[in-house]
Amino acid sequence: MNLIEPIHAHRVGQAVGNYRWTICAMLFFATTVNYLDRQVLSLLAPQLSTQFGWSNTDYANIAAVFQFVYAISMLFAGRFVDRIGTKAAYVVAIGIWSTGAIMHAFSVPMGEGIAAISGAIGLAVIPVSIAGFMLSRAVLAIGEAGNFPIAIKATAEYFPKKERSLATGIFNSGANVGAILAPICVPLIAGLWGWEAAFIVIGGLGFVWVAVWIALYKKPDEQPRLSAEELAYIRSDQTVQPFTPARVGAVEKKVSWFKLLTYRQTWAFAFGKFMTDGVWWFFLFWLPTYLSAQYGMKGPDIVLPLAVLYSMTMVGSIGGGWFPSYFMARGDAPYDGRMKAMLVIALFPLVVLLAQPLGYISFWIPVLLIGVGASAHQAWSCNIFTTVSDMFPQKTVASVVGIGGMAGGLGGVVMTKIGGWVFDYYKSINDIHTGYMIMFAICALAYLVAWSVMKALVPRHKEITDL
């Protein structure tokens, strides 16, 4: 059979094999661990703030270190992944972020060391606990920045284009599972063994994952568990750049960031991430505060609404990954089908505009409407990631994802800063309701703006073949 001949869907599971889905499951669990490690601090923040006397500004500064370092590290993470390869990159990335997660448990002694060094050289001393947690968050961010560039590259290696958004949607739903499991696991572990144990136990999960990854992952052409039929299927729609085995000892040509920035496709992806990643960060960071400010909900009261919301986002992540195949089955090329799906997805966040006008009925109204918006974000996310592997050769996928990831992280910083300013202003004039209305409007419209600019930059599919 010709390698570019399409394989009918009903034959895939029967004749081809399914090992690629084992790899997808590994990516799912890595992303789940990623979000578990990320959320431990936020769940323990009330307890730690009381214990160490943190103000809201102190906690915000600790959180901001993660967001800023994550954004910058995304750029270098993509480059790093393309240079050393998928398997080794995941070992390094999860090794770093799991170490960073565990370091939180030792933030006080680390902070004392930082204070001693700072004092000895005459620098202003940051409070001990704050300095230690800042260092831990920075290490965590450096490692976690590698997750999505690596996972997208692994997806490009193990899936044909027509399945990549579905695979991305599945592994991306690990973020939602992590967000649901964290409020259940973290308080329980902290209650039994102390807050330090929560960081150590959750952080240790990454090292378990690494051992399984080392045992299971090889490049497709080196993977003994992959049948020849499945390998052919994986390459079945590589019509422009068919697979050619690398020569032994050959050095792959490196592609510079500046070269990648000369392509409109790179800017389209980066702008889409900049406009929309901040919406997800906003929902993550501000929903508990919103429920408290608007409905007086505290502590345990918000666990069920958050669980419902994040459960909804799982539907968006997996359903959004499948959605482009609807258009592809009707003859659209992968990129064209993906862009049509993303336009439809971009319409769903508009329901968030109703969160404030209808919020007087019940707090469940804004929770469910925001859940639709957050679910749409996950659907959008798994598709925008996959536009990169639609257009760029595999050797540059992680680098381009890293560029876009940095743009998305900086967009998150901008959104957080805007939200803080808007809420402070409208709280000062006793009209916080309007403040949330403004921010929800930004969230609702961001996807249509992003899609319009992406479509203007890349009006039709054009695969890059000169790298």
Side-chain angles (χ1 to χ4, degrees):
M1 182 179 64
N2 190 304
L3 292 186
I4 64 172
E5 179 186 345
I7 298 177
H8 196 272
H10 80 273
R11 294 177 55 199
V12 171
Q14 299 171 10
V16 173
N18 293 301
Y19 190 76
R20 65 195 183 284
W21 296 107
T22 299
I23 299 302
C24 184
M26 290 295 297
L27 304 178
F28 167 86
F29 286 117
T31 305
T32 301
V33 172
N34 183 285
Y35 267 74
L36 278 169
D37 286 333
R38 188 179 303 189
Q39 288 198 283
V40 176
L41 179 63
S42 63
L43 291 164
L44 295 177
Q47 175 185 342
L48 297 175
S49 296
T50 301
Q51 180 173 339
F52 297 117
W54 293 345
S55 66
N56 288 330
T57 299
D58 292 332
Y59 173 65
N61 288 338
I62 294 170
V65 167
F66 176 88
Q67 203 168 8
F68 182 76
V69 174
Y70 183 86
I72 301 302
S73 297
M74 280 289 286
L75 178 63
F76 296 96
R79 190 70 168 174
F80 178 73
V81 174
D82 280 333
R83 181 163 296 179
I84 73 169
T86 309
K87 182 173 185 174
Y90 241 144
V91 174
V92 173
I94 297 193
I96 292 173
W97 97 50
S98 296
T99 300
I102 293 172
M103 282 172 59
H104 288 70
F106 306 97
S107 291
V108 173
M110 287 192 304
E112 291 171 346
I114 294 170
I117 295 171
S118 299
I121 60 178
L123 297 178
V125 178
I126 302 173
V128 167
S129 63
I130 296 174
F133 277 98
M134 281 183 169
L135 176 60
S136 301
R137 296 308 280 179
V139 175
L140 180 70
I142 291 169
E144 289 207 345
N147 184 69
F148 284 98
I150 302 169
I152 295 298
K153 188 176 182 70
T155 302
E157 290 174 349
Y158 262 89
F159 288 86
K161 290 180 181 179
K162 54 180 169 281
E163 287 185 348
R164 286 177 190 171
S165 61
L166 176 58
T168 302
I170 291 172
F171 84 67
N172 192 47
S173 68
N176 313 316
V177 174
I180 294 169
L181 290 178
I184 299 171
C185 300
V186 173
L188 178 61
I189 297 171
L192 289 174
W193 301 304
W195 64 266
E196 295 94 340
F199 287 109
I200 293 171
V201 173
I202 300 298
L205 293 176
F207 292 110
V208 177
W209 184 94
V210 163
V212 180
W213 175 256
I214 291 173
L216 293 183
Y217 191 88
K218 294 181 183 293
K219 287 185 177 181
D221 56 300
E222 300 171 357
Q223 179 58 264
R225 299 177 179 90
L226 198 66
S227 69
E229 292 80 7
E230 187 170 8
L231 182 60
Y233 177 69
I234 289 168
R235 300 173 187 162
S236 63
D237 53 9
Q238 294 182 7
T239 57
V240 176
Q241 292 184 335
F243 174 83
T244 54
R247 290 181 290 108
V248 176
V251 177
E252 190 175 64
K253 180 183 177 183
K254 296 179 177 64
V255 182
S256 71
W257 284 319
F258 294 107
K259 177 66 174 176
L260 293 174
L261 290 173
T262 63
Y263 294 95
R264 289 188 174 192
Q265 291 90 332
T266 303
W267 288 100
F269 175 67
F271 183 82
K273 294 287 285 179
F274 178 85
M275 286 297 299
T276 59
D277 273 17
V279 177
W280 177 249
W281 289 106
F282 177 81
F283 289 149
L284 283 179
F285 291 160
W286 291 103
L287 185 58
T289 303
Y290 168 71
L291 293 174
S292 176
Q294 293 279 270
Y295 299 99
M297 300 174 70
K298 303 290 183 183
D301 297 337
I302 67 173
V303 173
L304 180 59
L306 289 179
V308 170
L309 186 147
Y310 290 127
S311 296
M312 293 174 67
T313 62
M314 289 182 63
V315 176
S317 185
I318 298 174
W322 165 85
F323 192 27
S325 65
Y326 172 85
F327 297 103
M328 295 177 202
R330 283 155 179 76
D332 284 314
Y335 176 81
D336 298 326
R338 216 171 311 285
M339 289 301 290
K340 286 182 181 179
M342 289 172 69
L343 176 58
V344 175
I345 290 166
L347 299 174
F348 281 88
L350 295 177
V351 302
V352 178
L353 291 170
L354 300 174
Q356 288 297 78
L358 300 181
Y360 71 92
I361 299 174
S362 167
F363 71 87
W364 281 111
I365 300 297
V367 166
L368 294 175
L369 292 175
I370 293 169
V372 171
S375 184
H377 173 84
Q378 292 296 75
W380 170 276
S381 182
C382 63
N383 280 287
I384 192 173
F385 272 130
T386 316
T387 62
V388 178
S389 57
D390 284 341
M391 295 182 289
F392 286 88
Q394 287 185 13
K395 66 180 180 180
T396 62
V397 165
S399 292
V400 178
V401 170
I403 292 170
M406 183 187 72
L410 294 177
V413 172
V414 171
M415 182 71 98
T416 299
K417 292 293 187 181
I418 292 174
W421 180 84
V422 168
F423 296 144
D424 282 345
Y425 173 76
Y426 282 97
K427 184 177 180 180
S428 71
I429 62 173
N430 199 31
D431 189 18
I432 193 66
H433 182 278
T434 299
Y436 279 105
M437 184 69 203
I438 291 172
M439 294 307 299
F440 288 159
I442 294 173
C443 294
L445 297 171
Y447 298 87
L448 284 174
V449 173
W451 187 92
S452 298
V453 173
M454 291 176 69
K455 187 66 173 175
L457 287 171
V458 188
R460 62 187 61 85
H461 177 251
K462 185 178 180 181
E463 193 157 354
I464 294 170
T465 60
D466 57 348
L467 289 175

